[in-house]
Amino acid sequence: MITFLISFLIDQLLTPGLPGRRRRERSQERAFAEGGEVTFQAYVLGDRPYCRPVPVFLSASRTALHVSPTEVKELRRSALPAERIAVQRIRGRERTDPRTIPSYWQLAECRDGQADILIACDPTHMRYVDEALGAT
């Protein structure tokens, strides 16, 4: 738990243009293009069962989107119903959004029937969410 908190604080305090970040992004792009999963930090907010007011890790592939409280994929991992979730729009963070979401992140406003869902993550990862939900 302490490791998670330290990594969360580091992610919150440091700017998005760190050395090595571009290399990691290219590695993730290759893995996703080859049909693999990309795991990244995000927030999933909305009505139950989507309400997770703490940072989570999303694992996105071309056909699925899974959420887990840690980067370990096997630990308490659950699938989001990607076939039922429709992306309405992607936008930047607004003043009305929770302050725990970093200001440079993007939010995908989604709907699952009548339930509203917000998925927030770094802009470099939003394309994976968008493609996993079939909105490309």
Side-chain angles (χ1 to χ4, degrees), residues 29-91:
E29 287 171 7
R30 275 193 304 277
F32 193 79
E34 294 170 357
E37 282 188 344
V38 175
T39 302
F40 51 90
Q41 190 177 21
Y43 280 88
V44 180
L45 306 168
D47 299 331
R48 290 195 181 274
Y50 303 107
C51 184
R52 291 176 178 28
V54 295
V56 294
F57 288 89
L58 289 180
S59 296
S61 69
R62 290 178 183 235
T63 58
L65 196 60
H66 294 89
V67 63
S68 174
T70 68
E71 287 183 281
V72 179
K73 295 178 185 176
E74 295 80 24
L75 184 63
R76 294 186 54 205
R77 178 176 167 155
S78 60
L80 293 177
E83 66 281 350
R84 293 191 336 230
I85 298 174
V87 176
Q88 301 296 309
R89 77 177 180 132
I90 296 175
R91 61 174 174 82

